[in-house]
Amino acid sequence: MTTTTDQSPRRQSGPPLALLATISLLLLVAGIAGSAALGGVFPSPFGEASAIERYFTTQSDAVLASGFFAFASAVPLAIYAATASSRLRTLGVTAPGATIALAGGLISSAMLSLSGLVQWVLSRPGVRTDTPLVHALQDLSFLTGGVAHVVFLGLLVAGIAVPALLLRLLPRPLAVTGLVIAVVAEVATLSLLWTPASVLLPFARFPGLIWLVVAGLQLPAQRPRRAAGAQH
């Protein structure tokens, strides 16, 4: 009596994309909610100097909570970028989209984690009483966790949406929505030159993360046959 063993390699799809994006989104929201519960609304770097100084002097726990959850949120985002890039290549994407998604996601994650670490520094006793240092670090936290994080998050979304649209890996409305979100994220770069443009940041960040959740649910593990036959 003989037995046969299937020696064909098993395709590894990695951790669930939707779960990773959901964890990242929930951690980010938890940081905002927790910080607000502990110390009220986090001050804008464009706000009054006296209000900024008072907040960081008196609300160190809120700043610490915000920094912790921002840093934690960056971890599943980095894993998402690596997994999504690998998935796109498995699905036959040979264009730069998979690499753009990887680079955008990793840089976005790095910027968010840096912002969280800067906020941790802002919560330290010897720092929060140094007014010029507080303003400089808050600006750095905003630039990394706001502008840089969102702009490169847009590259992650675009890196998935473009090849998914061309190869029909996602429903067309979902892929087009991703492109719109990515454009908004890139236009948010103007906030470096024009303060009112910073209003675009949350309109790209949260829809972008939600889009990653939905795309993670819809992106197939294996390439549809009709798309495979249409590539070349």
Side-chain angles (χ1 to χ4, degrees), residues 190-215:
L190 293 175
S191 59
L192 294 174
L193 301 175
W194 187 47
T195 300
S198 61
V199 72
L200 296 174
L201 295 173
F203 288 103
R205 169 183 288 176
F206 295 105
L209 289 172
I210 294 172
W211 188 89
L212 292 178
V213 173
V214 179

Side-chain angles (χ1 to χ4, degrees), residues 17 29 52-53 58 65 74 84 93 98 107 119 134 136 175 196 206 208-209 215 221 228-229:
L17 290 173
V29 171
I52 294 173
E53 295 160 14
T58 61
V93 177
I107 297 175
Q119 291 178 55
V134 163
F206 295 105
L209 289 172

